[in-house]
């Protein structure tokens, strides 16, 4: 029977030539087209909800979800994290890794599984990683979906000052504090149209804390540093040839919607879906619509794109 929920798929591990060990879960029928889910900043693979994964499996995809390095059960690197001053001023340490390194981690998992070509779906930082794969390894990519992400250009996709203040708070050092911090930031960035379910989000944050193989705060700091080290990727995005779908809300306080607009402008023939009231969050109410957009896009490989605004 195909696996359709996180509860039914066990953590598995790929040890890569780089020395990284990347945790992943593999759902669905291996004969179906493969779709790789890449989560965002500080998120482990369980942040893709069971219903989200199950919807894609039901729509005919083999779904692989990964823990990025410095999250979940994947390797937490040994390099010290950047301090708050470095993060706020965008001055990464000399030993920082980049989004390109995280893209190689993802490709390493595909190699481990013997998957030659894949539909890519990334959200936030995961969208940046997916964009990087599509621009540097086009032969591996069937389609790209970039969800509430951006190009790295400094004039677009920036967080609101209110969000920066929340992110600058001292990091959580206990499970209880991590849950509270997650609820606080998620309420702030979720958008006006889709209030969060506190019980669901609390359980998600607690599970993420329990799955972490290292220090979550240090991991987030190093991931932020990877984004900053990678800089403006607009020219790189110009090289993407895979059919591309960009999805974002119009009420995002973490990655301003201008980031989505800039991504569409940078990628040839990209389609654009803007969801009113949506912020930087994928609530249960949007699982059906978003997975439908993604599956329809993946099934249209080879067709031309267009700009679509949903209202």
């Amino acid at each position: 029977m195909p696996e359709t929920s996180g509860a039914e798929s066990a953590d598995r591990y790929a040890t890569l030539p780089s020395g990284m060990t990347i945790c992943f879960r593999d759902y669905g029928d291996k004969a179906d087209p493969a779709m790789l889910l890449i989560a965002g900043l500080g998120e482990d693979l369980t942040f893709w909800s069971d219903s989200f994964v199950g919807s894609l499996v039901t729509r005919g995809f083999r779904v692989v979800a990964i823990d990025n390095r410095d999250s979940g059960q994947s390797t937490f690197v040994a390099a010290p994290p950047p301090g708050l001053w470095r993060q706020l001023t965008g001055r990464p340490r000399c030993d920082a890794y980049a989004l390109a390194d995280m893209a190689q981690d993802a490709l390493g998992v595909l190699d481990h599984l013997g998957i030659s070509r894949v539909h890519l779906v990334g959200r936030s930082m995961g969208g940046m990683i997916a964009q990087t794969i599509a621009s540097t390894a086009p032969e591996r990519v069937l389609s790209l979906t970039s969800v509430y992400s951006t190009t790295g250009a400094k004039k677009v996709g920036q967080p609101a000052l209110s969000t920066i203040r929340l992110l600058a708070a001292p990091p959580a050092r206990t499970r209880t504090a991590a849950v509270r911090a997650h609820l606080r930031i998620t309420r702030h960035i979720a958008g006006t149209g889709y209030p969060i379910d506190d019980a669901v989000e609390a359980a998600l944050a607690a599970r993420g804390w329990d799955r972490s193989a290292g220090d979550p705060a240090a991991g987030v700091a190093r991931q932020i540093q990877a984004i900053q080290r990678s800089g403006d990727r607009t020219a790189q995005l110009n090289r993407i040839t895979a059919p591309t779908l960009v999805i974002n809300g119009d009420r995002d306080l973490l990655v301003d919607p201008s980031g989505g607009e800039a991504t569409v402008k940078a990628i040839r023939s990209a389609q654009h879906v803007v969801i009113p009231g949506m912020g930087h969050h994928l609530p249960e109410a949007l699982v059906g619509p978003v997975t439908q957009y993604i599956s329809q896009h993946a099934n249209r490989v080879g067709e031309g794109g267009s700009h679509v605004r949903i209202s």
Side-chain angles (χ1 to χ4, degrees):
M1 291 288 291
E3 296 175 84
T4 57
S5 75
E8 296 171 357
S9 182
D11 287 340
R12 296 168 59 188
Y13 302 88
T15 299
L16 309 182
S18 64
M20 290 289 141
T21 295
I22 302 299
C23 178
F24 66 93
R25 293 183 184 177
D26 190 359
Y27 311 83
D29 191 331
K30 291 178 174 54
D32 288 336
M35 181 172 286
L36 180 66
L37 304 184
I38 309 177
L41 178 71
E43 297 178 341
D44 72 359
L45 60 81
T46 67
F47 276 68
W48 299 103
S49 68
D50 291 350
S51 58
F52 190 94
V53 173
S55 179
L56 291 171
V57 170
T58 299
R59 295 176 189 275
F61 296 95
R62 174 189 182 181
V63 176
V64 178
I66 63 173
D67 287 334
N68 294 312
R69 64 169 69 184
D70 271 326
S71 66
Q73 288 286 297
S74 289
T75 296
F76 277 66
V77 305
L84 181 59
W85 178 82
R86 283 189 177 274
Q87 294 176 58
L88 292 175
T89 58
R91 297 173 62 87
R93 291 170 48 91
C94 62
D95 55 3
Y97 58 81
L99 293 172
D101 299 302
M102 304 178 84
Q104 286 301 313
D105 294 343
L107 288 169
V109 172
L110 297 182
D111 292 340
H112 175 82
L113 291 171
I115 297 172
S116 59
R117 302 188 74 195
V118 69
H119 297 284
L120 291 174
V121 179
R123 62 199 243 183
S124 195
M125 181 188 72
M128 302 174 197
I129 297 168
Q131 294 164 10
T132 302
I133 296 171
S135 64
T136 59
E139 72 282 359
R140 306 295 298 271
V141 182
L142 292 167
S143 72
L144 167 65
T145 301
S146 178
V147 183
Y148 47 65
S149 192
T150 187
T151 64
K154 290 184 178 180
K155 292 185 178 181
V156 300
Q158 294 301 313
L161 288 176
S162 56
T163 305
I164 293 174
R165 285 194 290 269
L166 286 176
L167 293 174
R173 295 299 180 189
T174 67
R175 188 176 191 262
T176 298
V179 171
R180 288 174 179 165
H182 175 76
L183 289 173
R184 183 167 57 250
I185 189 67
T186 307
R187 288 188 191 113
H188 180 71
I189 64 177
T192 57
Y194 300 92
I196 71 168
D197 183 321
D198 282 8
V200 169
E201 293 299 325
L204 184 66
R207 182 169 58 183
W209 179 270
D210 292 342
R211 285 190 75 250
S212 180
D215 179 352
V220 168
R222 285 189 292 262
Q223 289 181 350
I224 291 172
Q225 183 174 240
I227 295 170
Q228 294 172 334
R229 180 182 169 188
S230 302
D232 184 350
R233 294 169 290 101
T234 303
Q236 186 182 71
L237 269 59
N238 292 159
R239 300 196 295 269
I240 293 176
T241 57
T244 298
L245 173 65
V246 175
I247 301 175
N248 59 269
D250 62 356
R251 293 293 183 270
D252 194 332
L253 294 177
L254 183 56
V255 176
D256 186 84
S258 59
E261 294 284 351
T263 304
V264 171
K265 291 177 181 177
I267 301 175
R268 191 180 317 159
S269 301
Q271 299 178 36
H272 195 191
V273 172
V274 179
I275 301 177
M278 175 182 168
H280 204 82
H281 186 240
L282 283 175
E284 190 64 27
L286 288 176
V287 165
V290 170
T291 55
Q292 182 175 9
Y293 292 137
I294 293 170
S295 62
Q296 288 177 341
H297 170 64
N299 288 328
R300 282 198 304 265
V301 168
E303 298 181 5
S306 60
H307 186 285
V308 180
R309 190 171 188 93
I310 306 299
S311 59

